[in-house]
Amino acid sequence: MIKRVLVKFSGEALAGKNGYGIDTQILNYIANEIKELFDNDIEVGVVVGGGNIIRGVSAAADGIIKRTSGDYMGMLATVINGVAIQEALEHLNVDVRLQTAIEMKEIGESFIIRKAIRHLEKGRIVVFAGGTGNPYFTTDTAATLRASEIGADMIIKATKVDGIYDKDPAKFDDAIKLSEISYDQALTEHIKVMDDTSIALAKDNSLPIIVCDMFKKGNLLAIIKGDMSLCSVVK
Ligand code: GTP
């Protein structure tokens, strides 16, 4: 029985066709997909990236901006997205609390794990923003960390692809989807959908990672009900 999950989706997904910023139609779509879990008595934590606004690594690419500063800029971007997803969920009458890993009290509660768990138990969705609060960690790692901390049964990485392939399906017609792979295989093959740090952390905590297509309506709920056809599992 799945009781609690952490859903991670990328900032880029929010950008829609523009390639930047927040497409409110997509924001609303994502909020509805998350609400479906909530309506089925699943406790949900949410982590969103910030790539639709700025990616730390890219910002620092030419050496003018330091990597650490670039990463902090990226963390701030996830807070902008966190505020947006909080609003979109509240628009659907879902109880939601935004917690930030970097203190900014006027915008959201500070991240306090015991409080986050209490919110989940009381039937509130918790949006975790600000990454891990530290540079050099991706939002995938932040998602895996939060999933481990809240004792989630799984982390659902909602992406543009319906799973993990042996090679890039956009480039190779003969790419084969891997329905299930081990953490060790994911680490040795450096699969592109999740960075090594987050996979290693998931392995340490025996946390299954589900990589799934977020643009197939109803897919998140299908996964909870055991239909893994539009995803791959790392465990
Ligand atoms: P309970 O204590 O379980 O009743 O939880 P609650 O979240 O409803 O109570 P609380 O009084 O802590 O919060 C009321 C509202 O204020 C919620 O929307 C919280 O997200 C928000 N809130 C609480 N603490 C902070 C904070 O430090 N900063 C910001 N910006 N909002 C906060």
Side-chain angles (χ1 to χ4, degrees):
M1 270 293 283
I2 306 297
K3 183 169 172 279
R4 184 177 290 171
V5 299
L6 189 297
V7 179
K8 155 79 205 303
F9 61 92
S10 72
E12 280 94 343
L14 278 179
K17 289 192 201 79
N18 292 335
Y20 64 91
I22 296 172
D23 179 324
T24 48
Q25 297 304 313
I26 292 182
L27 178 68
N28 188 45
Y29 167 81
I30 291 171
N32 270 288
E33 290 295 287
I34 293 170
K35 182 179 186 288
E36 272 207 327
L37 302 182
F38 180 79
D39 288 344
N40 281 269
D41 295 328
I42 303 295
E43 296 175 2
V44 191
V46 177
V47 168
V48 56
N52 53 324
I53 296 162
I54 194 160
R55 288 175 56 86
V57 176
S58 318
D62 66 5
I64 294 173
I65 295 173
K66 283 195 285 295
R67 168 70 195 269
T68 46
S69 298
D71 282 349
Y72 279 115
M73 291 157 73
M75 287 180 240
L76 290 172
T78 71
V79 178
I80 296 175
N81 288 336
V83 172
I85 194 74
Q86 172 174 247
E87 290 292 319
L89 286 164
E90 280 182 348
H91 184 68
L92 300 174
N93 296 317
V94 175
D95 243 354
V96 50
R97 298 290 183 267
L98 173 70
Q99 293 201 340
T100 63
I102 297 167
E103 218 171 82
M104 43 183 99
K105 279 199 160 69
E106 288 75 6
I107 295 170
E109 297 177 14
S110 301
F111 168 67
I112 298 170
I113 186 60
R114 297 176 76 104
K115 209 166 170 184
I117 289 171
R118 198 78 192 98
H119 286 320
L120 293 169
E121 287 169 351
K122 285 187 176 178
R124 298 161 182 158
I125 289 180
V126 183
V127 179
F128 299 104
T132 66
N134 296 289
Y136 295 105
F137 293 100
T138 62
T139 41
D140 278 352
T141 300
T144 312
L145 177 62
R146 295 296 179 246
S148 305
E149 287 175 296
I150 64 173
D153 298 305
M154 57 171 62
I155 171 167
I156 301 177
K157 167 141 181 177
T159 68
K160 285 180 269 188
V161 289
D162 65 349
I164 300 165
Y165 285 77
D166 63 342
K167 50 192 160 190
D168 188 348
K171 289 189 194 142
F172 300 93
D173 287 342
D174 60 344
I176 296 166
K177 187 171 144 187
L178 311 165
S179 303
E180 191 177 314
I181 66 170
S182 68
Y183 297 114
D184 288 336
Q185 192 184 352
L187 285 169
T188 42
E189 292 176 14
H190 302 293
I191 56 160
K192 288 218 177 67
V193 287
M194 202 97 177
D195 65 279
D196 289 356
T197 311
S198 48
I199 294 166
L201 185 59
K203 181 186 173 190
D204 278 352
N205 295 296
S206 305
L207 176 73
I209 303 167
I210 319 294
V211 176
C212 78
D213 179 1
M214 62 182 280
F215 292 110
K216 173 82 178 93
K217 200 163 170 27
N219 201 18
L220 295 189
L221 185 59
I223 289 165
I224 300 299
K225 295 193 166 167
D227 175 1
M228 299 284 179
S229 53
L230 289 175
C231 62
S232 295
V233 184
V234 185
K235 64 179 197 177

